[in-house]
Amino acid sequence: MNKSHTSWLRVLSVLQAVTLGLVVMLHFGPDESGPDSASNARPESTITWLQDDASSRVSQMIETERLKSALREVLNEELETFNDGESASGAAIQVSHAPPGGDDLHAGREAAAVSNAIVRQAISAGVWTAEDTETLMPHLGTLSEAQRLELIDQFYSAINRQELNVEDVPPL
Amino acid sequence: MKPMLYAVSILAVVVPLAGQADGRHIDGNVYVSPDSYMQGNMSVRYNAATAGDPYVYATGYAGSTVGFHGRDAEGDYFSCYVTTSSSLYDAAVDIKNNLQDGSRLYVTKSAGSNYCTNVFLGNYSYYQQ
């Protein structure tokens, strides 16, 4: 780390302290109504409190982002599992259902992920079979209107590109 | 002997009348111009002379998107849908519900899109089975 960089850090630290001090002074400035224990709180402890609060918020944000990233990884791994291996042979896809009484939103997202994977698999194979319909149907009832429309769009697009031989008709 | 001759003579008159088809009749068919339009008759189901395995159908969830589909004798597919927000929606639902023997369905869409731009239905006596 060179000297100029160190100098910038010092400048930023000073500016930060000055800014916090100004905030404290404006918020906890001299009370004209008279002595008051709350308004006469020591600025040093207030600065510490502000710093601690900001620090904990940043920590929470970082933790939230880590959780989101981990969830994304898990979902991508699950989707890859449906697209790899057995998809080439056209075997039925094993599905884990949402637990009874589970969150509807979670169930909808899972059903959408599975349904889209089934359609993608059929498009890759170039044919939609009766088995595909049978595999898809348990999940269609859980989809929201928007999720079903997304599925329909994917399915119809493949049909109109003449990329899908429809041997059986799914309820789409 | 007389009853038998009597029965045969009646049959000789009745049977030809029963087999006679009055009025115009045209076999149903389906034609698809890929990514453009489709026209099809429900009576294609009964056209024994057609090549391939053509069909036409319409779908839709209650209160939701309506779809029109078909495959022609050459194996070309067509699908398009009408959403609830489309100005065509109410009529598209009626058309979907009224497809029957004798119906001729004509549907268009824009290239690269899955939205139906026109949906036409006619019911013809001569397209019936």
Side-chain angles (χ1 to χ4, degrees):
Chain A
M1 189 182 293
N2 57 36
K3 288 185 180 177
S4 64
H5 187 66
T6 307
S7 302
W8 272 111
L9 283 176
R10 287 179 181 170
V11 168
L12 283 173
S13 301
V14 169
L15 283 174
Q16 187 180 18
V18 168
T19 305
L20 282 171
L22 285 172
V23 168
V24 168
M25 285 175 62
L26 286 171
H27 192 68
F28 297 103
D31 188 356
E32 294 179 0
S33 64
D36 182 355
S37 60
S39 63
N40 288 336
R42 297 182 60 169
E44 291 80 5
S45 62
T46 304
I47 292 173
T48 304
W49 174 78
L50 284 172
Q51 287 175 331
D52 288 346
D53 184 55
S55 173
S56 69
R57 286 180 190 177
V58 168
S59 298
Q60 283 176 6
M61 284 170 59
I62 292 172
E63 195 58 37
T64 302
E65 285 305 313
R66 282 180 186 165
L67 283 172
K68 284 182 183 176
S69 176
L71 279 172
R72 271 189 228 109
E73 279 183 29
V74 169
L75 196 56
N76 285 333
E77 283 171 12
E78 289 296 313
L79 286 175
E80 281 177 13
T81 303
F82 288 123
N83 286 331
D84 292 341
E86 291 179 330
S87 66
S89 64
I93 295 174
Q94 296 301 315
V95 175
S96 60
H97 296 277
D103 183 31
D104 287 346
L105 191 60
H106 169 75
R109 284 178 181 165
E110 186 176 305
V114 170
S115 301
N116 278 284
I118 294 169
V119 171
R120 275 198 302 273
Q121 170 198 313
I123 293 172
S124 296
V127 61
W128 183 272
T129 66
E131 189 178 357
D132 293 322
T133 298
E134 191 180 333
T135 308
L136 178 67
M137 284 184 67
H139 309 284
L140 288 178
T142 316
L143 299 179
S144 67
E145 174 71 12
Q147 288 167 337
R148 185 166 56 236
L149 203 54
E150 183 185 343
L151 198 68
I152 286 172
D153 220 17
Q154 189 184 172
F155 189 75
Y156 286 26
S157 292
I159 287 174
N160 287 317
R161 290 193 303 264
Q162 310 303 316
E163 291 177 356
L164 193 63
N165 182 23
V166 184
E167 294 180 355
D168 185 70
V169 178
L172 287 177
Chain B
M1 192 62 180
K2 271 191 178 179
M4 188 181 293
L5 286 172
Y6 186 56
V8 169
S9 62
I10 289 176
L11 285 172
V13 172
V14 170
V15 169
L17 285 175
Q20 185 176 7
D22 292 325
R24 187 182 191 198
H25 174 260
I26 299 177
D27 287 336
N29 59 43
V30 179
Y31 177 75
V32 170
S33 176
D35 210 23
S36 180
Y37 71 88
M38 173 192 73
Q39 77 86 25
N41 311 113
M42 291 293 277
S43 60
V44 68
R45 161 69 178 82
Y46 304 104
N47 185 349
T50 186
D53 203 13
Y55 57 73
V56 60
Y57 66 96
T59 58
Y61 285 84
S64 185
T65 303
V66 174
F68 299 94
H69 320 262
R71 180 173 74 184
D72 66 10
E74 295 182 356
D76 289 326
Y77 290 93
F78 179 94
S79 284
C80 72
Y81 59 79
V82 179
T83 60
T84 55
S85 60
S86 168
S87 60
L88 304 179
Y89 181 71
D90 290 344
V93 171
D94 284 341
I95 288 173
K96 184 260 294 180
N97 292 336
N98 285 286
L99 275 179
Q100 56 189 317
D101 185 17
S103 291
R104 178 178 191 169
L105 179 69
Y106 170 67
V107 194
T108 69
K109 72 177 196 69
S110 301
S113 167
N114 294 321
Y115 293 111
C116 305
T117 50
N118 292 281
V119 183
F120 166 89
L121 175 72
N123 286 304
Y124 308 81
S125 61
Y126 53 80
Y127 276 135
Q128 293 183 84
Q129 176 191 357

